[in-house]
């Protein structure tokens, strides 16, 4: 997931949220990615397949967050299927492999990262800067692969059980690509996070004048089988729309039919101000609140209300991440797919 939630240092049981997002089942096989360590690019866990013919360079990436295993499930299958482009190039990669190395199905909510959020370091200032961390080292190693890619697909999942969403970024080109994929059902436009830039917004991906394009997909709750299926389906749709694959590939591995989609513009974030923040009910994400002024939470006793009709709650924070200074939830407005904001 891609919200502003630091990883717990000690991971105590949360008395107020005993259920839960901490101890869920992982319903699909966790892949062994060790066979992919030795890449053919000079970067561990990064493989590029070159058709030798003109065409875009497409990159499908998993494990930007080490506990978001559904993407690794999908990329592992693409490797096993010997997915090779007929035009252009295909790069398959695993990003935060050091965090994933610590993953266990017994404690699946841990291992999001080692030192910091891998998906907040993607500016040249940070990458060229003097600071060191596990994630910065990996991002610096991966940077040439990102620089070479024309189309990036970054696979994520979420703490709470909610419908899958595409994070299309701030520009129309992201929404247009998400519309062409035809899934998942929700497409969110946003401008990222104040705490740092995402990989999907790096350089040309985040430049409206560049032909480069990127999507981040939140495939569902981390452990649910449906998230693994969505990661695979969305990757197949992405490959189809990229145009690099021969038709025969999709005869063997059909890309899913398009589904109706709803496009949402994030308008603001609800920042937690006090140690007494409580949602009015247990939201998990993508709830549509019909009436402006509906109280969705209290913060230090003060009501937090929706600012407009048909307000969408985008990825509310689970209990362990409800702390002052963090984002409790982002609010979104339904827009037409071609609308700019
Ligand atoms: Zn994520």
């Amino acid at each position: 997931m891609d919200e502003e939630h630091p990883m717990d240092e000690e991971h105590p049981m949360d008395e107020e949220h005993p259920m839960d997002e901490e101890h869920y089942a992982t319903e699909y096989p966790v892949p062994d990615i060790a066979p992919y360590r030795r890449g053919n690019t000079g970067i561990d866990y990064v493989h590029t397949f070159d058709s030798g013919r003109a065409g875009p360079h497409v990159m499908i990436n998993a494990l930007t967050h080490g506990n978001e295993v559904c993407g690794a499930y999908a990329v592992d299958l693409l490797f096993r299927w010997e997915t090779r482009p007929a035009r252009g190039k295909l790069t398959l990669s695993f990003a935060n492999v050091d965090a994933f190395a610590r993953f266990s199905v017994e404690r699946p909510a841990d291992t999001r990262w080692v030192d910091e959020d891998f998906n907040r370091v993607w500016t040249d200032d940070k990458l060229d800067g003097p600071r060191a961390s596990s994630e910065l080292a990996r991002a610096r190693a991966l940077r040439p692969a990102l620089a070479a890619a024309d189309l990036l697909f970054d696979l994520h999942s979420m703490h709470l059980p909610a419908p899958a969403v595409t994070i299309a970024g701030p520009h129309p080109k992201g929404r247009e690509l998400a519309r062409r994929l035809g899934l998942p059902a929700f497409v969110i436009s946003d401008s990222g996070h104040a705490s740092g830039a995402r990989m999907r917004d790096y350089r040309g991906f985040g430049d409206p004048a560049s032909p480069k394009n990127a999507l981040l997909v939140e495939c569902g709750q981390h452990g649910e089988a449906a998230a693994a299926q969505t990661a695979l389906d969305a990757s197949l749709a992405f490959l189809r729309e990229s145009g690099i694959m021969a038709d025969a590939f999709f005869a063997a591995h059909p890309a899913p039919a398009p589904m109706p989609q709803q496009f949402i513009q994030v308008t603001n974030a609800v920042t937690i101000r006090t140690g007494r923040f409580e949602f009015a009910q247990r939201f998990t994400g993508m709830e549509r609140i019909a009436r402006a002024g509906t109280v969705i939470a209290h913060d230090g006793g003060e009501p937090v209300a929706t600012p407009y009709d048909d307000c969408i709650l985008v990825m509310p924070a689970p209990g362990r991440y409800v702390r002052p200074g963090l984002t409790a939830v982002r609010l979104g407005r339904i827009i037409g797919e071609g609308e700019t904001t």
Side-chain angles (χ1 to χ4, degrees), residues 2 8 24 26 51 68-69 84 86 173 183 194 199 246 275 277 281 283 324 328:
D2 206 57
D8 278 353
Y24 56 83
T26 301
S51 69
E68 299 179 359
V69 181
R84 301 290 183 270
K173 67 179 184 179
L183 83 162
M199 193 167 67
F277 184 99
Q281 63 187 80
F283 298 114

Side-chain angles (χ1 to χ4, degrees), residues 76-200:
D76 176 51
L77 275 181
L78 295 177
F79 272 114
R80 289 167 185 271
W81 293 344
E82 299 187 338
T83 305
R84 301 290 183 270
R87 290 167 288 281
K89 297 176 185 174
L90 174 63
T91 289
L92 300 177
S93 58
F94 301 97
N96 200 340
V97 290
D98 288 341
F100 176 67
R102 305 173 181 199
F103 178 83
S104 81
V105 293
E106 285 76 34
R107 297 165 74 88
D110 294 351
T111 72
R112 178 166 163 75
W113 59 67
V114 177
D115 296 321
E116 63 179 317
D117 192 333
F118 182 85
N119 216 26
R120 297 291 182 275
V121 302
W122 288 93
T123 56
D124 287 324
D125 276 358
K126 278 192 184 176
L127 295 172
D128 292 330
R131 205 161 59 76
S133 73
S134 174
E135 278 71 22
L136 276 167
R138 182 60 176 157
R140 285 163 182 151
L142 270 181
R143 182 152 61 156
L146 273 299
D150 299 307
L151 293 169
L152 169 68
F153 203 51
D154 193 21
L155 294 162
H156 290 246
S157 54
M158 300 180 279
H159 288 284
L160 299 176
V165 299
T166 298
I167 308 293
H171 305 303
K173 67 179 184 179
R175 288 195 289 276
E176 169 58 19
L177 181 55
R179 186 193 61 73
R180 283 166 43 204
L181 261 58
L183 83 162
F186 292 100
V187 179
I188 293 172
S189 270
D190 71 350
S191 52
H193 302 283
S195 54
R198 303 173 294 202
M199 193 167 67
R200 60 132 291 120

